[in-house]
Amino acid sequence: MIRRGLLAVAPLGLLLTAWRRIEAWVIERDGSSIRLSVGAFGVRSSGRFETWRGDVVFDPDRPAATRATVVVQTASLRLSPSGATGQALGPGFLDAARYPTIQLELSSLAPQGGDRWSARADLTVRGVTRPVSFPVDLRVTGDRAQMTGAFDIDRASFGIGTSGPWNRAVSRQVNVQVSLQARRAA
């Protein structure tokens, strides 16, 4: 009877041990960025989001167990040329007044060899959530980690700029580049 009870409790103990190793990490904003680029009127516009926050749980010994949430303040987008920023934040595109945040919810990392991983996440823009998958580089050195990756989204699948005169002048593909530097929480 005791033996059967120990066998039932042993997997729970292993699970709790593994769970305890997954730790919170703090994103270092100085070494991190969220950028985008899109073609418009035959030229490439690029920009970055200035205001955002993220939460990461990560075990360097089990990167596949990584989970992260990044919440971006939509109105913090700054594009170059700067004249494009107002249009991008307006009701025809990101509609920052009605949709003040963009959210990326990382759900898994699958190993691809070496420092290469395949990330899966849910991206929510304008109240529409779509899955995205993209390659990332993840490097861990002691108490520091750096993850970089990029993915393309079809803006129309999120209802961005699908009507009006601007729709045909702006590329449907928007490239998003994410670089997150983090350190183990104290």
Side-chain angles (χ1 to χ4, degrees):
M1 184 89 132
I2 293 175
R3 186 181 210 183
R4 190 177 309 157
L6 287 175
L7 290 175
V9 173
L12 179 61
L14 290 173
L15 180 64
L16 289 174
T17 300
W19 177 253
R20 277 184 286 219
R21 290 178 37 188
I22 297 175
E23 301 172 334
W25 287 60
V26 177
I27 294 174
E28 296 178 329
R29 291 292 309 272
D30 288 341
S32 302
S33 65
I34 301 172
R35 301 181 163 281
L36 64 82
S37 64
V38 63
F41 302 102
V43 297
R44 203 92 186 134
S45 290
S46 60
R48 67 182 289 143
F49 288 96
E50 300 290 331
T51 307
W52 54 273
R53 64 177 170 74
D55 297 309
V56 178
V57 289
F58 174 68
D59 176 356
D61 296 326
R62 293 183 325 129
T66 300
R67 298 294 178 266
T69 301
V70 177
V71 179
V72 175
Q73 296 302 308
T74 307
S76 74
L77 175 64
R78 299 297 174 260
L79 288 171
S80 176
S82 61
T85 299
Q87 189 68 35
L89 296 176
F93 285 89
L94 290 173
D95 199 357
R98 286 185 57 207
Y99 303 99
T101 61
I102 297 169
Q103 183 166 317
L104 180 85
E105 190 80 34
L106 180 74
S107 58
S108 71
L109 287 176
Q112 301 295 306
D115 293 333
R116 300 287 295 165
W117 297 79
S118 177
R120 292 187 185 272
D122 286 327
L123 178 65
T124 303
V125 183
R126 286 182 59 118
V128 177
T129 302
R130 300 271 185 252
V132 294
S133 297
F134 54 101
V136 297
D137 287 326
L138 175 62
R139 292 182 175 85
V140 180
T141 306
D143 287 349
R144 301 232 180 258
Q146 178 77 37
M147 185 193 86
T148 57
F151 56 91
D152 290 327
I153 63 166
D154 177 352
R155 65 177 172 76
S157 69
F158 290 92
I160 301 170
T162 56
S163 62
W166 301 102
N167 185 32
R168 293 180 189 229
V170 178
S171 171
R172 286 181 58 140
Q173 296 302 307
V174 177
N175 181 258
V176 179
Q177 308 98 42
V178 178
S179 179
L180 300 177
Q181 181 174 302
R183 63 176 164 71
R184 191 181 316 263

